[in-house]
Amino acid sequence: MSWIAIVVLAAGTYAFRFAGPVLRDRITVSDELKRYLALAAVALLAALIATAALVEGREFVGIARPAGVLVGAVLAWRKAPFVVVVVAAALTAALLRVAGVE
């Protein structure tokens, strides 16, 4: 069963990648739709980040992980180097956990 799923997903991925160059000149998208699609991508990314930062399974993960994500987000917004963002976020979560803040 898993090989069938792999083949189906591979075929679907190939079809999507093939459709882009083939349909590029045949389909026109309005500027307003392009703007909404960009906003939808941002909303989807924000939802994925929130889900990963706040819950594990069906349980709230505590305050340490969201605090680390918040520190990382602020540093990324301030255009800090990627390594600084990752280390600061991890260090924040680790220090809070060591301090007993779950």
Side-chain angles (χ1 to χ4, degrees):
M1 182 64 180
S2 62
W3 282 105
I4 294 171
I6 291 170
V7 169
V8 168
L9 288 172
T13 301
Y14 180 77
F16 271 112
R17 292 186 64 91
F18 181 74
V22 169
L23 299 176
R24 180 180 304 150
D25 296 330
R26 295 181 184 191
I27 296 177
T28 58
V29 178
S30 69
D31 289 336
E32 184 178 8
L33 181 59
K34 287 180 187 177
R35 188 173 65 97
Y36 286 133
L37 289 174
L39 292 174
V42 170
L44 179 61
L45 182 60
L48 288 172
I49 290 170
T51 302
L54 298 175
V55 292
E56 189 168 316
R58 293 177 185 233
E59 305 271 328
F60 177 66
V61 295
I63 200 69
R65 189 187 303 174
V69 171
L70 180 64
V71 167
V74 168
L75 289 173
W77 175 60
R78 302 285 296 163
K79 299 191 187 317
F82 180 72
V83 173
V84 172
V85 171
V86 172
V87 169
L91 191 61
T92 300
L95 289 174
L96 285 171
R97 286 184 180 137
V98 167
V101 178
E102 292 292 324

